[in-house]
Amino acid sequence: MSFLLKALFLLPFLLWMFYATLQQYVWQPQTNHSWALKYSHDTIADGGCGGYGNHSDDSCYEIESEDVEYETTYRGRWELASENSGLTAMHMFIFPNTNKAIMLDAVALGPSKTRLPLEIYRRIPDSKKKYADFWAHAVEYDIDTATIRPLMILTDTWSSSGGLSANGTVLISGGWSGGGKTVRYLSGCYDTCDWKERRRALSGKRWYSTQHILPDGSFIVVGGRRMFNYEYLLTEGNSEKKIYELPFLHETTDPGENNLYPFVFLSTDGNLFIFANNRSILLNPTVNKIIRELPALPGGSRNYPASATSALLPIKLHDPNPDVIQAEVLICGGAKSEAASLAVKGVFVNALQDCARIDITNPMDTWHKEMMPSPRVMGDMLLLPTGDVLIINGAKKGTAGWNVAYGPNMIPVLYKPDRPERRRFMELTATVRPRTCHSTSTLLPNGNILVAGSNPSYRYNVNDSKYPTELRVEKFYPPYFDQSLISNRPFIISTFNNKMIKYGKKFVIKFKLKRLEVSAVDLKVTMYAPPFTTHGISMGQRLLILSTDGLIDEGPEMFKVSVMAPPTATIAPPGYYLVFVVHSLVPSPGAWVQIG
């Protein structure tokens, strides 16, 4: 009897404890039929991640209150797109207004896996036949069907740089040996075009240099092996034929170099951010003067062969008249300065595990560090249409170069820059194919990722190392491809063919969405400049979050939104961009636009 009385006495207390626990940690269904974990405010304040997301505190991933309705536990998926791309994709980019990607290897590797058709070889002038080897060292890859078209390129693009010009022509500068002073041009003219090559278009031999488009549509080409300077490329076939010395590049060279392929980004104030090894500057390209040196980034080296990965974070244009448009740079991974010299002796040290970001428009800002879930060298960093950052490919030990890395990092990582620290990283679904030295990746118009290349070997001896030459092509589908979120995915109806949007002017996007109504709070429009990717660096990549207003319901599942174009060419250099409508964290397929 006494036991029963005690139980009755304790029952209210036990019920209260059960209710409090239920409020703190509960699974609840979402309107889109996905399931997300809801945390009480106390749990979030404590920084706890419970059983959701990653298992380490440093990669803790939590749901913010404004995203809770649309979050997903889905970690993405991989798809084998092709068994043989014809060559190993050391360099890659996509063409505007086509479904084509261009992949290039190195002539110095010897024969590729794709022969040049005889009719192409016959077109080579007799004076240049000595440079040809009957094999294709560039291919046009159809991203829908995986078919390839061999392209004729005679000079060696090994470790070159590149970018899309304002009219959609691709310029690739520099490379190995006789290709060092060459600039190559390719237009996307649907199955008929091939490369034009100008062998002495550059003033200096550029090998492992970085190229970036400028507001006037010209390009700057920075650095390269034993090239402590930069120069400008103007219109097709023209350059200044002048070299500008940059002692900063000499100062940042160490015994392992570690300053090749410098990170170069155009800031929102028109200055160029240049990062080499562990130091960075802001260069004014109008007067060719360094206007500021930023604080050094401690912890190791970040450029080839130490090869961290980097991006200019999304530029937010919500405020129509800001005093300063913020520009932040993110750098992740890399290696100790001595990693390369140790790797050639068979000693593979851990890659760096830190990420660091800095506001380059704030003279008082310093580097802010946080930790990735795992160490990484030679990774790729891609901006997603949602404004998130994808880190993919690379290794956990060693450094960039042939057979000097160990332990491929096969787990992509999603970084959410607007989340609080310690809640920004999420590990995604792992691949089964190592992608180490000379692997590439790029964002496709559909919002998925094309992944190719790795570990090219001489004469394509695919079995001559622990990580053999990789000819297979994959596609990775980020978490926003969760089937339970499909009702959130917009589809752009507007076509922008042959229409150029103007700086500072409004344009209208019509889109379809399987919803009875859409809230402007759940909607954003982003604008993406696709990069030239190689060696873990994505040249020219840029994402802008545009200002929107005037959301209009056009009828059953049809909507229209008014969008303000970027204000100047300093914010968005002229050329082709992919525009995405993002609804509740799910992007539409992209539509190509040209701004100028």
Side-chain angles (χ1 to χ4, degrees):
M1 189 68 176
S2 61
F3 174 81
L4 183 59
L5 289 172
K6 288 181 179 178
L8 289 171
F9 178 79
L10 292 172
L11 183 59
F13 177 75
L14 293 172
L15 288 172
W16 179 84
M17 288 290 291
F18 174 77
Y19 177 79
T21 302
L22 188 65
Q23 289 297 305
Q24 183 184 29
Y25 186 73
V26 62
W27 289 94
Q28 69 175 26
Q30 305 305 304
T31 56
N32 55 24
H33 305 296
S34 183
W35 288 81
L37 187 61
K38 179 182 177 183
Y39 285 82
S40 74
H41 294 292
D42 291 338
T43 306
I44 294 178
D46 291 339
C49 276
Y52 182 74
N54 296 309
H55 298 294
S56 66
D57 288 341
D58 287 330
S59 56
C60 190
Y61 177 83
E62 292 186 12
I63 297 168
E64 290 181 301
S65 57
E66 64 267 29
D67 293 345
V68 71
E69 186 178 355
Y70 306 108
E71 280 291 355
T72 174
T73 58
Y74 182 64
R75 300 305 177 93
R77 66 179 175 89
W78 289 86
E79 170 187 293
L80 180 62
S82 172
E83 288 282 358
N84 186 358
S85 58
L87 48 76
T88 182
M90 186 184 293
H91 320 78
M92 185 160 62
F93 59 89
I94 60 171
F95 258 130
N97 293 320
T98 73
N99 61 339
K100 302 296 195 293
I102 304 298
M103 301 175 180
L104 306 99
D105 71 352
V107 175
L109 293 175
S112 67
K113 292 295 182 181
T114 301
R115 282 189 174 274
L116 279 175
L118 187 59
E119 61 269 22
I120 292 180
Y121 183 76
R122 284 173 176 162
R123 294 203 305 264
I124 303 174
D126 290 339
S127 62
K128 295 183 178 180
K129 275 190 166 64
K130 63 181 179 180
Y131 300 111
D133 63 1
F134 297 96
W135 298 92
H137 296 286
V139 297
E140 181 186 78
Y141 177 91
D142 189 299
I143 62 179
D144 296 324
T145 66
T147 56
I148 60 173
R149 180 172 73 94
L151 300 174
M152 182 185 68
I153 195 163
L154 300 180
T155 56
D156 202 335
T157 58
W158 174 19
S159 300
S160 56
S161 55
L164 272 176
S165 69
N167 67 2
T169 298
V170 171
L171 276 71
I172 296 182
S173 60
W176 167 244
S177 188
K181 287 190 174 184
T182 301
V183 178
R184 308 153 195 88
Y185 305 87
L186 182 67
S187 299
C189 49
Y190 304 100
D191 303 326
T192 58
C193 285
D194 218 322
W195 294 96
K196 298 177 183 177
E197 299 180 73
R198 301 187 183 276
R199 287 180 172 269
R200 289 174 291 277
L202 292 169
S203 299
K205 282 192 172 184
R206 302 289 170 184
W207 194 32
Y208 297 96
S209 60
T210 302
Q211 181 177 319
H212 200 295
I213 193 169
L214 298 176
D216 63 358
S218 65
F219 288 91
I220 188 170
V221 186
V222 181
R225 179 158 284 166
R226 292 180 290 279
M227 293 298 291
F228 310 118
N229 48 54
Y230 61 92
E231 60 184 290
Y232 296 99
L233 285 173
L234 307 179
T235 56
E236 183 174 334
N238 295 303
S239 67
E240 277 194 338
K241 287 293 184 179
K242 181 178 180 181
I243 285 178
Y244 297 82
E245 297 299 327
L246 189 60
F248 165 78
L249 293 175
H250 195 284
E251 296 164 8
T252 52
T253 302
D254 64 24
E257 292 185 297
N258 291 322
N259 74 338
L260 302 178
Y261 275 134
F263 303 135
V264 179
F265 301 112
L266 176 66
S267 181
T268 53
D269 58 9
N271 295 310
L272 286 165
F273 172 85
I274 302 175
F275 186 102
N277 200 325
N278 63 354
R279 292 170 53 192
S280 53
I281 58 171
L282 286 175
L283 174 74
N284 184 322
T286 303
V287 297
N288 296 295
K289 291 184 182 294
I290 295 173
I291 64 166
R292 178 158 58 95
E293 180 159 358
L294 286 74
L297 175 56
S301 298
R302 313 286 173 165
N303 297 91
Y304 187 91
S307 294
T309 188
S310 181
L312 182 70
L313 290 177
I315 297 169
K316 299 175 182 178
L317 301 177
H318 301 313
D319 186 348
N321 297 299
D323 294 329
V324 176
I325 297 175
Q326 186 184 46
E328 280 189 285
V329 169
L330 177 69
I331 298 176
C332 291
K336 294 291 186 183
S337 60
E338 66 273 18
S341 60
L342 291 172
V344 297
K345 301 174 184 176
V347 179
F348 302 101
V349 299
N350 285 338
L352 303 183
Q353 194 171 343
D354 60 349
C355 282
R357 59 194 278 186
I358 190 170
D359 180 353
I360 61 176
T361 52
N362 179 1
M364 305 304 295
D365 203 18
T366 58
W367 291 100
H368 304 273
K369 280 196 176 187
E370 49 198 315
M371 298 299 289
M372 293 187 287
S374 59
R376 194 179 303 256
V377 63
M378 299 183 294
D380 288 328
M381 188 177 287
L382 296 174
L383 301 174
L384 299 181
T386 56
D388 296 335
V389 179
L390 180 70
I391 305 170
I392 195 170
N393 297 343
K396 296 179 181 179
K397 294 175 180 286
T399 188
W402 269 276
N403 301 314
V404 287
Y406 187 82
N409 195 327
M410 299 164 78
I411 301 177
V413 171
L414 191 68
Y415 178 83
K416 291 181 171 282
D418 294 332
R419 290 267 170 91
E421 285 188 46
R422 298 173 61 85
R423 301 175 190 169
R424 292 175 178 156
F425 293 100
M426 180 172 74
E427 290 186 314
L428 304 178
T429 302
T431 182
V432 296
R433 296 173 182 87
R435 302 281 182 180
T436 55
C437 178
H438 299 111
S439 59
T440 50
S441 63
T442 193
L443 176 72
L444 297 178
N446 192 42
N448 52 356
I449 311 299
L450 194 67
V451 184
S454 184
N455 222 41
S457 300
Y458 181 63
R459 301 188 70 84
Y460 278 63
N461 184 353
V462 296
N463 297 312
D464 68 346
S465 69
K466 183 176 179 65
Y467 309 115
T469 300
E470 186 58 76
L471 297 172
R472 292 169 293 187
V473 179
E474 294 174 282
K475 289 179 179 177
F476 178 68
Y477 294 80
Y480 47 70
F481 279 94
D482 185 348
Q483 285 300 304
S484 67
L485 301 179
I486 195 67
S487 64
N488 286 336
R489 190 172 204 203
F491 290 87
I492 295 175
I493 305 299
S494 302
T495 56
F496 301 96
N497 294 342
N498 302 317
K499 295 179 182 177
M500 184 178 291
I501 62 174
K502 299 297 183 181
Y503 292 109
K505 302 294 184 181
K506 288 186 178 182
F507 64 102
V508 173
I509 299 176
K510 189 174 182 178
F511 63 95
K512 185 175 183 179
L513 182 62
K514 292 182 178 180
R515 289 297 179 96
L516 295 177
E517 59 182 29
V518 174
S519 170
V521 175
D522 296 329
L523 198 74
K524 65 182 174 183
V525 176
T526 58
M527 184 170 156
Y528 180 73
F532 176 91
T533 61
T534 184
H535 291 75
I537 183 169
S538 297
M539 302 181 199
Q541 180 175 228
R542 201 174 190 87
L543 183 79
L544 303 109
I545 302 176
L546 303 181
S547 176
T548 61
D549 63 18
L551 179 62
I552 298 173
D553 187 337
E554 288 264 294
E557 300 181 351
M558 298 293 291
F559 303 89
K560 190 164 65 175
V561 63
S562 178
V563 184
M564 179 65 75
T568 65
T570 300
I571 304 302
Y576 284 87
Y577 292 74
L578 282 165
V579 167
F580 298 89
V581 174
V582 183
H583 174 256
S584 301
L585 309 181
V586 180
S588 69
W592 287 103
V593 300
Q594 187 181 12
I595 190 169

